[in-house]
Amino acid sequence: VPAQVPRLPEGERDIDVFLSGTVNHPYHADKGPVLLALLSLPGIRLEIVEGFEATEAYYNNLGRAKATCTYVRHAGAMPTRALEALAMGCAVAVQEDSALKLFGGDAEGIVSYGSEVDDAGRAVEQVLRHWNDFRDRARAGAALVRREFALERVASQYFRFLTVLAARPRDERSGPVPEQLLQKRPVVQRGWLPSTKF
C-alpha cells in the first residue's frame, strides 16, 4: 500500500461495486463469469472502468464503493487490487484460496467466493445486504492493511529476506524444465509459487 494512500473517507458510499483493470478482454476470458455474476445482481450500482485510471481517480472510486471483487488467475496469489480496496475501506470478495485470507476474513471485510458460476455474485450480495456491519469490518480491514502492508514495512522485510536468500549456500542451478514453463508467464521458477504442486 503506497505511503500516499488517501485518508479513509467518511460518509455514505454511492457506488455498490467498483471494478477496474482488464475487466472484459478476450485474452482474460476467465474473468467473464465473475463479471456476469455481478451484472446479474438486481438493482446494483456498478461502476466499471475497463483499463486503468489515474491514481487519484482510482482511490476516489474505491473510497466511494462499498465492495469490489477480485479475480487472480493463480487463486493462491495475493490480489493487490484487494489490498488497495481494503485500504480505502471497501469490502472485497476474493477467491477461496486467496493469500489475503491468511491475514483476515469476514471481520476485516474480506469475503471469499468459490468456483461455481454465481459464487462471486453471492459473496458481493452478502456484503451489500449487510453493509451496515461490513462498513465497520472494512474499516478494520483498512487499519490492518495500512499497518501490515505499509510500503516501508513491506520493503524492509522484503530486503531482509533478499539478503538472507542471497547469502545462503546453494547447489548449482540446472535451469527450468521447458515443459513446465507457462507461455504467458515465461519466468524461471525459484522458490514457492501458488502454481507449485506439492
Side-chain angles (χ1 to χ4, degrees), residues 95-153:
Q95 290 144 292
E96 286 176 337
D97 296 337
S98 174
L100 187 56
K101 299 278 296 175
L102 298 172
F103 293 89
D106 275 9
E108 290 77 25
I110 304 166
V111 296
S112 60
Y113 64 91
S115 57
E116 296 298 316
V117 174
D118 292 331
D119 285 353
R122 280 193 286 271
V124 168
E125 190 175 36
Q126 172 191 351
V127 170
L128 298 178
R129 195 177 317 117
H130 304 287
W131 174 242
N132 289 336
D133 293 331
F134 273 98
R135 178 189 301 116
D136 296 333
R137 295 175 187 184
R139 291 184 79 79
L144 170 92
V145 165
R146 287 172 182 245
R147 181 183 66 248
E148 297 297 322
F149 293 92
L151 182 60
E152 44 187 58
R153 178 180 180 146

Side-chain angles (χ1 to χ4, degrees), residues 4-108:
Q4 307 88 342
V5 68
R7 289 182 4 175
L8 202 56
E10 300 291 337
E12 290 301 312
R13 294 177 177 243
D14 61 331
I15 301 171
D16 288 333
V17 181
F18 174 69
L19 296 176
S20 70
T22 309
V23 178
N24 184 27
H25 192 277
Y27 195 63
H28 298 284
D30 41 5
K31 294 181 180 179
V34 171
L35 179 59
L36 289 175
L38 295 175
L39 288 170
S40 70
L41 295 175
I44 188 174
R45 292 174 297 178
L46 178 64
E47 181 164 334
I48 299 174
V49 175
E50 175 66 44
F52 303 91
E53 55 188 346
T55 305
E56 185 177 330
Y58 174 63
Y59 281 114
N60 181 50
N61 280 327
L62 288 173
R64 293 174 50 209
K66 294 175 183 172
T68 190
C69 186
T70 66
Y71 177 85
V72 181
R73 182 166 285 109
H74 298 288
M78 179 62 75
T80 54
R81 285 182 176 271
L83 292 176
E84 295 161 348
L86 264 181
M88 294 304 295
C90 179
V92 297
V94 298
Q95 290 144 292
E96 286 176 337
D97 296 337
S98 174
L100 187 56
K101 299 278 296 175
L102 298 172
F103 293 89
D106 275 9
E108 290 77 25

